[in-house]
Amino acid sequence: MTAEKQTARINRTFCVAPMMEWTDRHCRYFHRIISQNAVLYTEMVTTGALIHGDRERFLQYNPQEHPLALQLGGSNPADLTTCTQMAEDFGYDEVNLNVGCPSDRVQNNMIGACLMAHPQLVAECLEKMQSAVGIPVTVKHRLGIDDMDSYEELHHFVSIVRESGCKTFIIHARKAILQGLSPKENRDIPPLKYDWVYQIKQAFPDLEILINGGIKTLEESHEHLQQVDGVMIGREAYHNPYMMAEVDALYNPDAQTQSRLEIIEQMYPYIEEQLQQGCYLGYITRHLLGLFHAQPGGRQFRRYLSENAHKSGAGVDVLKQAVAKVAAI
């Protein structure tokens, strides 16, 4: 089966962005309970980590996480191809190439946003990755970098990269400033230009275009979906995960919305299982801290978990006691 045919199997109307140190397997399991349809992405994994490191640890996931994409960082076509094949062998539904991360560490290894200055290399990487597997290979990138920040340069980048056969472009609607701004500042300071992403969709109607950056609500998502094919939300989905409770209605108007308590109750068996395997409670519950965001008792919930989940021997009762802080109000 060709990658193009398989692409149609993944409905990317709503995606949760890959976020370093956040979207690990515990976070993704939690997000999957909240939404059955959102496409979930791993943290970025470098090709070197997979080829020379503990690939089992980096690629491990729970079968319930599907649809699930692995995001790769790298710029060597052969290495990226090898890692894309690993992803397919492990059962991932998609591989995404990171052309958006602005950190110094990845720049020095020719990873991330700096690749926007090398569209031919990006196209070569994507072409070889796609030729090796039957799952979709996609790309996530910025509007531009540094002084390469005109719409014409963005259009040129997309026009070159699409020649690889890549059909899905996830565009963070900000440029990246590689010298002088931290990765955190690069998520806030460069201005959002959603209209440029809309223009790319109009210029390349055959491509699947997803928009990312600064989107906080499903109402905003609906507005973007009038112009593009999908939305990707990062920090808001992490800090306020219950905003995803109605995501499935984007796919099915009759989808049922779960309560916060119903969601957290489904986490208990998973947590018990992970604790038996030697996982620490805090590794999992750190992803749950925002579930009661802006709710009565939400602050007490966060405080109790933060103060107790890291303690030696902490079990699922700690989470239940934290939930009681909310339920009692």
Side-chain angles (χ1 to χ4, degrees):
M1 182 174 290
T2 66
E4 185 171 347
K5 288 181 180 177
Q6 285 222 1
T7 300
R9 291 186 174 185
I10 303 177
N11 185 332
R12 300 182 184 85
T13 299
F14 186 97
C15 304
V16 179
M19 292 175 282
M20 292 299 294
E21 300 183 357
W22 287 0
T23 50
D24 64 15
R25 60 192 180 91
H26 304 307
C27 176
R28 298 191 304 263
Y29 187 92
F30 172 51
H31 285 172
R32 178 58 67 221
I33 289 175
I34 302 173
S35 169
Q36 296 297 302
N37 293 287
V39 181
L40 305 180
Y41 286 71
T42 68
E43 305 168 84
M44 182 188 72
V45 182
T46 65
T47 54
L50 289 182
I51 293 171
H52 305 295
D54 184 352
R55 72 183 62 167
E56 292 279 344
R57 179 173 69 85
F58 286 113
L59 295 176
Q60 183 182 14
Y61 64 88
N62 189 293
Q64 287 187 231
E65 293 174 38
H66 293 293
L68 177 63
L70 173 71
Q71 188 183 63
L72 288 176
S75 58
N76 179 290
D79 289 350
L80 282 165
T81 299
T82 296
C83 293
T84 301
Q85 290 171 317
M86 288 182 196
E88 184 176 54
D89 290 343
F90 267 75
Y92 282 87
D93 302 298
E94 172 190 329
V95 171
N96 177 263
L97 178 62
N98 184 320
V99 186
C101 181
S103 82
D104 292 339
R105 182 172 59 84
V106 298
Q107 285 181 59
N108 293 335
N109 293 299
M110 274 289 283
I111 298 171
C114 62
L115 287 172
M116 291 209 68
H118 306 278
Q120 293 286 0
L121 175 58
V122 174
E124 180 186 355
C125 291
L126 289 168
E127 183 175 6
K128 292 190 180 301
M129 292 163 73
Q130 291 173 98
S131 68
V133 297
I135 58 175
V137 177
T138 66
V139 63
K140 184 175 188 292
H141 61 92
R142 294 276 185 143
L143 297 183
I145 53 172
D146 298 328
D147 294 331
M148 296 179 58
D149 62 353
S150 68
Y151 173 77
E152 289 71 27
E153 286 164 309
L154 172 63
H155 186 284
H156 175 73
F157 176 85
V158 174
S159 67
I160 295 296
V161 174
R162 75 190 288 267
E163 294 301 315
S164 69
C166 180
K167 294 290 188 181
T168 302
F169 289 66
I170 305 167
I171 306 177
H172 185 157
R174 287 186 175 95
K175 76 171 185 177
I177 299 175
L178 302 183
Q179 303 297 327
L181 291 186
S182 68
K184 182 180 186 300
E185 290 169 330
N186 262 300
R187 292 191 293 267
D188 293 305
I189 293 176
L192 287 160
K193 297 182 178 179
Y194 293 137
D195 56 316
W196 284 21
V197 183
Y198 300 164
Q199 284 179 252
I200 289 294
K201 177 59 186 179
Q202 293 164 7
F204 302 96
D206 58 311
L207 297 180
E208 181 183 30
I209 303 295
L210 280 68
I211 194 166
N212 169 234
I215 305 168
K216 295 183 180 296
T217 67
L218 286 185
E219 289 72 24
E220 292 173 36
S221 300
H222 277 290
E223 293 178 14
H224 289 302
L225 289 169
Q226 303 305 308
Q227 305 288 338
V228 295
D229 302 297
V231 296
M232 176 176 275
I233 297 183
R235 284 170 292 168
E236 190 67 18
Y238 189 85
H239 291 305
N240 180 21
Y242 196 68
M243 64 86 61
M244 293 193 294
E246 296 182 3
V247 160
D248 290 350
L250 294 172
Y251 298 79
N252 174 14
D254 298 324
Q256 298 295 307
T257 301
Q258 302 178 87
S259 71
R260 290 173 174 85
L261 290 176
E262 288 172 331
I263 290 166
I264 214 157
E265 284 172 1
Q266 293 176 66
M267 285 296 295
Y268 294 147
Y270 174 80
I271 292 172
E272 293 277 20
E273 178 185 277
Q274 293 299 311
L275 294 176
Q276 290 172 9
Q277 295 175 14
C279 182
Y280 290 103
L281 180 67
Y283 289 172
I284 305 173
T285 57
R286 68 190 183 99
H287 303 302
L288 279 58
L289 293 176
L291 182 60
F292 295 95
H293 172 77
Q295 297 298 299
R299 184 173 299 175
Q300 291 91 325
F301 170 81
R302 291 192 300 275
R303 181 183 300 141
Y304 190 86
L305 272 186
S306 299
E307 292 176 351
N308 295 282
H310 69 281
K311 293 180 179 177
S312 177
V316 74
D317 283 347
V318 169
L319 177 57
K320 291 180 178 179
Q321 289 161 10
V323 171
K325 305 287 183 184
V326 181
I329 293 181

